[in-house]
Amino acid sequence: MAVPAKNIPAPDLVPVRRALLSVFDKTGLIDFAKALAAAGIELVSTGGTAKAIAEAGLGVRDVSELTGFPEIMDGRVKTLHPSVHGALLGVRDDPEHAKAMHDHHIQPIDLVVSNLYPFEDVRRSGAGYASIVENIDIGGPAMIRASAKNHAYVAIVTDPADYASVLNALEMNLGSLSLDFRKKLAAKAFARTATYDAAISGWFAEALEIEHPTWRAFGGRLDQVMRYGENPHQGAGFYLSGDKRPGVATARQLQGKQLSYNNINDTDAAFELVGEFDPARSAAIAIIKHANPCGVAEGATLKAAYAKALACDPVSAFGGIVAMNRVLDAEAAEEIVKTFTEVIIAPGATDEAAAIVAAKKNLRLLVAGGLPDSRAAGTTVKSVAGGLLVQSRDNAVVDDLELKVVTKRAPTPAEMADLKFAFRVAKHVKSNAIVYAKDSATVGIGAGQMSRVDSSRIAARKALDAAEAAGLAEPLTKGSVVASDAFFPFADGLLSAIEAGATAVIQPGGSMRDDDVIAAADEHGIAMVFTGVRHFRH
């Protein structure tokens, strides 16, 4: 049964006479405290916050004066006291509460300013277990939640970015804060503690290697409100989880208009794909459209890789996302800007390259400072009606797999290199996925079809179109290799690839009809390699 409410109406305007300030992040603290003091508000504080306020020449009462009890245990216990929480939770228009506050000499607190120990930052820093635990704030969340629950009488400020709006509201309301304003502050406070607790519980699950904890929480901080989502009638916002994996969320935007929902989704897909390619081995370019690659290539230079990637499907590349595994240079920038492109993302960019891109005012240029680690563990989340699907990141890398030749003919060294290349790309193509590759470049991509044979045919058809556009006598699928993200359930998909000109195939294997597929490959003199690992992507 729920806890019954007394249905005491909350006042609209509550005068702010006493404020409790206890913050770890002291950004803007002194100016805010000065403004509160100038408005005649009594300041109460704790530990380092009280010291900073006093050193600024402001009058401040230590919280121990309210509690009659000193801070103990290295400051772990200071606000966890009835004189503090009674001051925060007391319903002032409830006679019983008012009597308890009077009898126990509890002075009401009208405004609380609190932010938390930097648990998320300490966790990301690689600190040891004990240090991470020590940075789990207890008193702060308790005080924040108490204040937020009793927003009928108490205003809770958890973000220094809100200091200005609080002061403005106090001025507008002659020293009071409205109920609507207090509600908004409370909503933000509960969201903050929820995100904080999500980070803590997530860390514990990771540290204790609990793959599927009974309760799972995810949190993030709003980075930007977007014009719309996938479509103009959908609202959207971009939230940052705090994960420092190089990518669109952590990149610095050097120029261009605000990223859209689709831009962010596609840019993430592009950079994750290009992260599969070691920049020490070769330059690599990935061109993405609607979260699928329309061209991927390696080359001696970014310019050379871009030309090969663009040749795969120049029509689809129009308005796409271009990602690369090396610092963007001027030569590559000059080529990329010749085709209308929405976003360029790279580990970095030379000043000359940035200047070239700057001539295209709407083109976004992002520098990520590094590449995502394709082998790193992680978690992906997808919402469904009534729940969340949570899984570990697909961090299988073809170079780490035990490849098994299952046909009479083994692939040549050149074919094997292209097979590995194609399988890297297939990992990032929506299923069902078929990727033709030749000379470390995609030459045909079939994505997202209900039938694998359809993906194979579409990829071959697109290769024909690209050949016609380039004035070639035959499509580049002639003499190519082909990768499939999952097994061929029948030989028809393989036969379609052979018809397109493929000479070698890489696929996971594991079908009930593997023997039929292998026999078809042997009949046509095709080399086939099994990876034992599937790369479905939906």
Side-chain angles (χ1 to χ4, degrees), residues 181-197:
F181 189 73
R182 299 194 304 274
K183 284 180 178 179
K184 290 177 181 177
L185 290 174
K188 187 170 184 177
F190 277 122
R192 175 63 188 115
T193 56
T195 302
Y196 193 75
D197 287 340

Side-chain angles (χ1 to χ4, degrees), residues 106-119:
I106 296 174
Q107 302 172 348
I109 295 171
D110 312 303
L111 173 68
V112 174
V113 184
S114 180
N115 53 60
L116 307 174
Y117 291 170
F119 173 84

Side-chain angles (χ1 to χ4, degrees), residues 16 33 51 71 76 195 213 230 238 252 283 288 303 317 320 355 360 362 364 407 463 533-534:
V16 177
K51 181 180 179 182
E71 293 184 19
R76 282 189 171 196
T195 302
E230 281 188 281
F238 184 37
R252 184 165 54 99
I288 296 288
K303 178 181 178 181
K360 304 288 185 179
N362 289 330
R364 296 88 157 180
T407 47
V533 170
R534 187 180 75 184

Side-chain angles (χ1 to χ4, degrees), residues 223-412:
D223 180 66
Q224 59 178 279
V225 176
M226 299 171 173
R227 289 174 57 207
Y228 53 82
E230 281 188 281
N231 301 291
H233 64 278
Q234 295 173 267
F238 184 37
Y239 288 80
L240 304 183
S241 68
D243 184 358
K244 294 303 181 182
R245 183 177 178 84
V248 65
T250 57
R252 184 165 54 99
Q253 184 170 344
L254 299 187
Q255 70 147 69
K257 59 186 179 180
Q258 183 186 34
L259 292 165
S260 70
Y261 180 100
N262 292 327
N263 290 154
I264 289 174
N265 187 55
D266 291 350
T267 302
D268 177 68
F271 208 53
E272 286 292 324
L273 193 165
V274 88
E276 299 279 346
F277 297 94
D278 183 357
R281 185 183 67 235
S282 64
I285 292 282
I287 306 173
I288 296 288
K289 193 75 168 288
H290 296 299
N292 272 309
C294 48
V296 184
E298 290 182 289
T301 65
L302 289 174
K303 178 181 178 181
Y306 178 74
K308 292 166 68 178
L310 184 64
C312 178
D313 189 354
V315 174
S316 297
F318 184 84
I321 311 294
V322 176
M324 60 205 67
N325 67 344
R326 289 182 178 176
V327 172
L328 176 66
D329 55 45
E331 280 191 337
E334 286 176 346
E335 290 302 311
I336 293 170
V337 298
K338 291 177 182 178
T339 299
F340 171 57
T341 300
E342 291 275 6
V343 181
I344 299 173
I345 183 169
T350 67
D351 291 342
E352 190 177 0
I356 292 168
V357 176
K360 304 288 185 179
K361 293 183 179 180
N362 289 330
L363 172 55
R364 296 88 157 180
L365 175 58
L366 306 180
V367 292
L371 286 171
D373 181 356
S374 57
R375 292 178 172 86
T379 302
T380 64
V381 184
K382 181 179 180 180
S383 64
V384 296
L388 299 171
L389 282 172
V390 182
Q391 66 174 346
S392 58
R393 180 185 289 123
D394 182 358
N395 62 351
V397 174
V398 67
D399 290 330
D400 303 335
L401 304 180
E402 185 177 343
L403 304 183
K404 180 182 179 183
V405 178
V406 295
T407 47
K408 295 176 182 177
R409 182 174 82 78
T412 66

